[in-house]
Amino acid sequence: MTATTDAGPGATEITPGVPDLDDVAGHWVGADEIAHLPSLRNQQGQGHVNADLTSASWLVAPPFTFGYHTGELHLDGRTPAAQRFLWKPWGVVRERRGDGLLLRTDTRMALSRDLLLWRITATNEGPEARTVELSQDLYARVAHTEVGYGWLYDVPWNHGDHHDFMALERIRATTGGGGASYLLSPAPRRLRLGRPRIPGIQRDEDHGPMLLDDALPSHFSHDKEPEPRTGVDAAVRALRVESADGGLVLDIDGPVTLTRDGEATFDALVLAPGTEIGFDLRLDAAGQSGTVLIHGNHPDSLQIGVEDGRLWLGITGEREFSTADVPERTWHRVSTRVEADHAVLTLDGEEIIRTRHWNASRRWASHVTDSPETMLTIEDTRSPARAAYAFSGPAPGLTSTGAGGRATWTCRIEPGQSVTLGIACAYGTGADQVRAEARAAVQDFDATLRAGTDGWRQHWSHMFTPGNPDFSGHLPTLTTHDAGLARTYYMGALQLLYMRNTRIRPGEPVFLTGGPRLGPTTTYFWDHSEWSRMYALLEPAGLRSWLLRVLAGPYQESFGIDARSGGPLGNAYSANDYALFRLIEHYVCITGDTAFLDTTAGGATVLQHLEGLGFGWRDKRSPATGGVLADFGEDPWNLLECIPGYTGVVASFNGAYVGATRALAGLYRQRGRHQDADRAEAEARELADAVLDLYAGDGRWRIRRPDGTDTIGHCLDFGLVAACLHRELAPQVRLEMADFVERDLLAGGWMRALSPNDPAAATSDRPDHGAGGAFCAWPGVTAHGLARLGFRDRALTLLRDLASAASGGLWGQAMEIVTTADGHLRARVAERGVSNRETIAGAAGAEAVLSALFDVNPSFTDPRHRASLPDTLTADGIGTLRGLRRP
């Protein structure tokens, strides 16, 4: 931020107007202090940089997806790791310094283009001239597909397209000198015979814990026929699992009869290098296709099966097929031995399959052209996808290696001098087209890079400009003397811009929920509600269109939609009623578009949908839990996923139903439906009394289930009860709730979602909803709740500290609390498991600046709700918001 005058210790006066984007975006972070490496986005797609200096993984820009990674940079035959990272919205700079040589790379997805860019600079910081060899692997394992873009979206592999999160993450871990081995999962998994359950819930037990490290939900899109999940008609006997030293791990004599729809499960075990699994197999019918054995229930699991009566072996995303038939109705000995870098399958003592390294692909083909420029072209044999590499600066020596290539430069660098290399990779569906795109990008490489940077700056400026060409609305400008608060607000705004995608639905910008390892087309209802005020201010036309599409679909049966296909995704969330009600209410109240309520979506008016959402508690009541409050059932996946006991009647969303029912009463009264308003108000009072009866003291709330009650201290109960029932809470209860947050939840400039003192903390393995940290929306929700309880000073203190947790970028799904070397607590973006590097709900902190500090809380309960916001709001001791009103 630009400082102009000293406004007291720790505070500076912020220059009126929007800060420079460079000041809002990231700063250098060391590899030793960052867990989740930075991402790449370009308003069309997303990706991740890796631990080395140049490679990127998880690249996807629908309809294009990339597999594996794009290739590493080698220095004199070695593969150096990055020592520090600098994220900006237009790209990621990685750096390594050692032995008198500074290597700095800049990796980008070119803004709104199907184009990857790398700039590599080597600087001689030593006293003498030196010659170095730089070589860059060139992979573009790109595929073109129009389907399969769920939360777990399809990624291209050698034998087909599917989502294999664990396998690709282990391949990423080999970059930067991480080692060549990636085949084996470290997790214990059950050994199974028969029908696999992939792509179901990827865990061994139907009711087992959903741990981040080795489990995934079945959140796939519905526009692609899933791979058949069948077993075989067969028998297995003499099943033996032996460790590398010959020890017997599992011994099943059998025989076990297999059917196409059945399975037999055995003890969990870890596949370590040298593990051997052998069994006798008798196929009871000719020409069968199906699975015989699987270790676990994941795409990367070791699998043995048959296709048309011939054996195949699968492991870590790959599948190898034999050419030998297995005669039916006779016994054959099948054995596989797994090593760190390969697996072997034998039939009756003869090796028939040996897996290969991922870069020994048979799916993609490459070739070098020397005229008019040296280029490398890569084509996918399973789709029309094509890619081309072109180069700026000194011409490389270029070789083709089957599915990719390698560019090599031998450079003499004088002391204090640098050599700079440019690489462009264009992708598309035509070889001539991608060659032309890559060639054009390197003709003036600096201009190509500059165009992307300037484009991001222009989008940033337009976010705060009334009548701009990028958005149907704009955000207000904050002027404040509090530098921390300003940073929270403007970083939240940048989070929205960074997650925006303009290609998924032409003419309608889409704000993605998370990623980059997940969800390139996904929007969650709940996450969108965490920035609903800002959504209605910035992109009212897009929000209106999105709401109509959501309401026309089965929104009660899913957590969100695939914005590309429009189909539902995932399981139902108990938050859906609250989230969609809030989004509709804020859209109507901020824009004044009351006609929207009478618009039809999915056979009902928006008002009818709104009534179903607001009165959603009515059909969720159960006599077994009191018969007044909503009972959300026994499945924790409908609420907070990782807290097994957070089921049944909970305070959080019942409190939200109080707020929604009162809002409907206000809307009815404005429409002259006074009897309906009276009834809704009476029901809201009854609900409020029942919620207050759940208070357990000391800031905690009771959970009521048919089999008894528990007490929990979770920020979601605090946030929603404080937001919706603050007027009913006694002053002492308000103080106890606020003290509970400060005492049990706030930590390291961030917070914990769950009190570490709760019994549930030991079984909550998630740094987003458990005791190890907090989801990126929870500080904003908590700050809003503190302000509603009358503790605006505490809300301000919480909000001004949030930027320190962003790990040199923006806020992620899960922000974990860690202990530094000097014993202090700090927060960082969590990487382990399936946590997202960025999540749109991180804008909740900026949303809370509006709601908690400036009281921007539009509601149907306010008869002046129709676009009644003033253009300027000033909060004493905080600052001024300008540009709230639409032009």
Side-chain angles (χ1 to χ4, degrees):
M1 305 297 173
T2 305
T4 56
T5 60
D6 188 2
T12 54
E13 182 69 31
I14 305 304
T15 302
V18 181
D20 186 87
L21 185 52
D22 250 323
D23 294 334
V24 181
H27 57 273
W28 283 105
V29 289
D32 58 346
E33 60 180 302
I34 188 172
H36 208 144
L37 298 182
S39 68
L40 302 166
R41 294 181 187 269
N42 70 344
Q43 305 279 290
Q44 293 186 169
Q46 59 189 32
H48 252 306
V49 303
N50 298 330
D52 63 304
L53 286 166
T54 53
S55 77
S57 297
W58 292 110
L59 291 166
V60 54
F64 300 101
T65 62
F66 284 71
Y68 310 101
H69 63 69
T70 55
E72 298 174 277
L73 176 69
H74 309 282
L75 170 65
D76 296 331
R78 295 176 292 108
T79 308
Q83 294 172 330
R84 62 177 191 157
F85 300 82
L86 174 64
W87 171 85
K88 297 292 181 182
W90 46 82
V92 176
V93 178
R94 286 172 273 186
E95 193 175 86
R96 182 177 184 86
R97 173 178 275 115
D99 192 27
L101 187 71
L102 172 64
L103 288 175
R104 176 176 287 185
T105 66
D106 186 347
T107 307
R108 306 189 182 194
M109 298 181 76
L111 181 61
S112 300
R113 298 176 68 180
D114 292 328
L115 182 68
L116 307 176
L117 302 169
W118 292 267
R119 180 167 56 189
I120 302 167
T121 303
T123 301
N124 183 359
E125 297 183 323
E128 298 178 357
R130 62 186 297 175
T131 299
V132 299
E133 181 185 87
L134 298 172
S135 59
Q136 174 65 48
D137 290 332
L138 307 171
Y139 301 129
R141 309 297 171 84
V142 61
H144 177 279
T145 178
E146 298 289 350
V147 299
Y149 293 101
W151 184 240
L152 276 63
Y153 68 95
D154 284 351
V155 172
W157 298 84
N158 285 320
H159 78 277
D161 297 348
H162 64 270
H163 194 94
D164 193 336
F165 189 95
M166 306 303 176
L168 189 47
E169 282 298 284
R170 289 202 297 276
I171 289 172
R172 286 186 69 210
T174 66
T175 61
S181 301
Y182 61 89
L183 281 189
L184 304 180
S185 168
R189 298 176 180 175
R190 285 188 177 275
L191 199 67
R192 283 187 167 80
L193 295 174
R195 180 180 183 268
R197 290 182 289 163
I198 296 170
I201 297 290
Q202 293 167 24
R203 53 184 171 173
D204 279 342
E205 301 298 329
D206 290 333
H207 300 288
M210 180 59 75
L211 304 179
L212 271 180
D213 293 329
D214 200 60
L216 285 174
S218 56
H219 296 163
F220 298 88
S221 66
H222 297 278
D223 59 4
K224 179 185 175 184
E225 190 70 25
E227 180 180 339
R229 290 174 281 164
T230 61
V232 292
D233 294 318
V236 167
R237 69 185 184 191
L239 174 61
R240 308 280 189 271
V241 180
E242 296 182 0
S243 61
D245 60 6
L248 195 59
V249 178
L250 186 68
D251 186 3
I252 306 294
D253 284 333
V256 179
T257 300
L258 305 182
T259 64
R260 293 178 63 81
D261 296 321
E263 69 171 3
T265 62
F266 306 99
D267 291 342
L269 55 95
V270 174
L271 290 184
T275 301
E276 186 162 345
I277 302 173
F279 55 90
D280 292 339
L281 172 66
R282 186 193 69 212
L283 296 176
D284 292 338
Q288 295 188 75
S289 296
T291 302
V292 175
L293 177 144
I294 184 170
H295 175 247
N297 187 35
H298 305 67
D300 69 325
S301 295
L302 174 74
Q303 302 173 59
I304 299 173
V306 292
E307 182 169 290
D308 297 330
R310 296 175 176 179
L311 284 167
W312 54 260
L313 173 67
I315 188 169
T316 308
E318 313 292 5
R319 188 173 292 184
E320 301 279 355
F321 296 84
S322 74
T323 58
D325 291 319
V326 181
E328 70 275 11
R329 299 185 177 86
T330 58
W331 289 101
H332 302 273
R333 189 64 183 172
V334 178
S335 179
T336 184
R337 183 179 179 89
V338 295
E339 301 291 353
D341 57 358
H342 71 279
V344 173
L345 186 73
T346 62
L347 176 64
D348 295 329
E350 179 182 351
E351 179 180 319
I352 59 172
I353 294 174
R354 179 178 291 262
T355 64
R356 290 173 274 191
H357 193 274
W358 65 264
N359 62 16
S361 172
R362 299 159 308 285
R363 173 170 175 174
W364 291 271
S366 67
H367 62 273
V368 173
T369 58
D370 293 319
S371 179
E373 297 96 5
T374 300
M375 299 183 72
L376 179 77
T377 303
I378 299 172
E379 63 181 34
D380 180 18
T381 61
R382 299 177 67 107
S383 83
R386 302 291 183 265
Y389 281 94
F391 308 92
S392 169
L398 192 59
T399 58
S400 171
T401 57
R406 176 173 286 192
T408 302
W409 297 264
T410 301
C411 307
R412 179 177 173 81
I413 313 175
E414 298 297 326
Q417 299 299 304
S418 301
V419 62
T420 298
L421 314 170
I423 304 174
C425 176
Y427 50 95
T429 56
D432 291 341
Q433 166 218 342
V434 298
R435 279 194 291 266
E437 289 284 336
R439 188 180 299 116
V442 298
Q443 284 179 347
D444 189 341
F445 195 68
D446 287 343
T448 302
L449 295 175
R450 218 169 28 249
T453 305
D454 292 347
W456 278 102
R457 293 185 187 281
Q458 187 175 63
H459 289 323
W460 174 248
S461 174
H462 287 169
M463 286 189 82
F464 303 92
T465 303
N468 69 83
D470 281 339
F471 306 92
S472 57
H474 66 279
L475 293 178
T477 298
L478 171 67
T479 302
T480 177
H481 65 271
D482 192 316
L485 184 65
R487 190 159 187 82
T488 294
Y489 177 73
Y490 285 108
M491 277 182 61
L494 179 55
Q495 190 121 15
L496 303 181
L497 176 60
Y498 194 55
M499 302 298 286
R500 178 174 176 257
N501 188 295
T502 58
R503 186 159 80 177
I504 295 171
R505 297 191 66 82
E508 176 194 325
V510 169
F511 296 88
L512 299 176
T513 290
R517 301 182 295 185
L518 299 159
T521 62
T522 301
T523 56
Y524 278 64
F525 310 145
W526 193 359
D527 294 66
H528 267 2
S529 73
E530 302 295 359
W531 61 287
S532 51
R533 297 168 183 81
M534 297 178 75
Y535 203 165
L537 288 166
L538 177 65
E539 189 51 69
L543 175 55
R544 189 182 199 276
S545 176
W546 181 84
L547 281 169
L548 289 176
R549 285 190 286 112
V550 168
L551 296 176
Y555 56 84
Q556 295 290 10
E557 302 170 15
S558 62
F559 60 60
I561 60 170
D562 172 1
R564 195 167 191 269
S565 71
L569 285 175
N571 54 287
Y573 269 6
S574 299
N576 286 358
D577 286 353
Y578 157 73
L580 292 174
F581 190 100
R582 170 172 160 164
L583 283 156
I584 295 169
E585 182 179 28
H586 285 168
Y587 168 76
V588 172
C589 292
I590 287 175
T591 65
D593 183 11
T594 56
F596 180 65
L597 295 171
D598 300 310
T599 304
T600 300
T605 66
V606 172
L607 177 57
Q608 290 171 324
H609 286 289
L610 194 68
E611 291 171 315
L613 297 166
F615 293 134
W617 51 270
R618 288 176 173 172
D619 60 4
K620 294 182 177 68
R621 294 172 290 183
S622 169
T625 48
V628 177
L629 297 173
D631 184 332
F632 297 101
E634 62 181 13
D635 187 353
W637 274 91
N638 291 337
L639 276 86
L640 283 176
E641 300 178 348
C642 69
I643 303 178
Y646 198 77
T647 58
V649 173
V650 296
S652 57
F653 292 119
N654 274 294
Y657 277 131
V658 174
T661 303
R662 284 179 173 154
L664 282 171
L667 185 59
Y668 288 148
R669 208 163 295 287
Q670 292 169 31
R671 292 195 159 208
R673 296 169 56 178
H674 297 293
Q675 288 185 339
D676 291 334
D678 291 343
R679 187 180 306 111
E681 287 170 354
E683 289 178 317
R685 282 194 298 272
E686 182 183 15
L687 284 176
D689 290 343
V691 171
L692 295 176
D693 190 50
L694 295 177
Y695 186 61
D698 202 28
R700 288 172 164 80
W701 296 84
R702 277 185 285 270
I703 302 168
R704 188 181 298 147
R705 294 187 297 272
D707 61 351
T709 61
D710 284 329
T711 300
I712 195 168
H714 199 279
C715 70
L716 186 61
D717 287 335
F718 169 84
L720 294 187
V721 171
C724 300
L725 280 82
H726 51 279
R727 292 186 180 89
E728 280 87 357
L729 296 169
Q732 182 60 31
V733 173
R734 294 186 185 194
L735 180 60
E736 289 174 2
M737 291 173 63
D739 286 349
F740 161 74
V741 167
E742 194 158 14
R743 180 186 65 248
D744 281 33
L745 301 186
L746 301 188
W750 193 254
M751 65 181 293
R752 305 180 191 273
L754 174 68
S755 169
N757 302 318
D758 273 22
T763 57
S764 300
D765 183 55
R766 292 267 294 262
D768 52 356
H769 301 319
F775 181 53
C776 57
W778 296 154
V781 171
T782 301
H784 177 79
L786 287 168
R788 300 304 264 179
L789 295 180
F791 300 96
R792 194 181 74 164
D793 56 337
R794 299 194 194 189
L796 175 60
T797 299
L798 172 58
L799 290 173
R800 68 158 60 103
D801 289 340
L802 300 185
S804 64
S807 297
L810 299 172
W811 298 289
Q813 170 193 336
M815 310 292 294
E816 59 189 358
I817 306 296
V818 296
T819 303
T820 63
D822 57 3
H824 292 97
L825 297 179
R826 72 176 180 93
R828 67 181 184 184
V829 179
E831 188 273 342
R832 68 185 183 91
V834 294
S835 299
N836 292 279
R837 182 55 184 83
E838 295 93 20
T839 298
I840 194 75
E847 177 96 343
V849 172
L850 302 181
S851 68
L853 305 184
F854 288 90
D855 198 26
V856 178
N857 290 295
S859 171
F860 291 135
T861 60
D862 183 352
R864 302 166 302 163
H865 74 77
R866 298 187 183 185
S868 60
L869 288 174
D871 190 64
T872 300
L873 279 176
T874 297
D876 291 342
I878 293 174
T880 302
L881 283 175
R882 293 182 175 86
L884 276 163
R885 186 177 296 149
R886 299 175 66 198

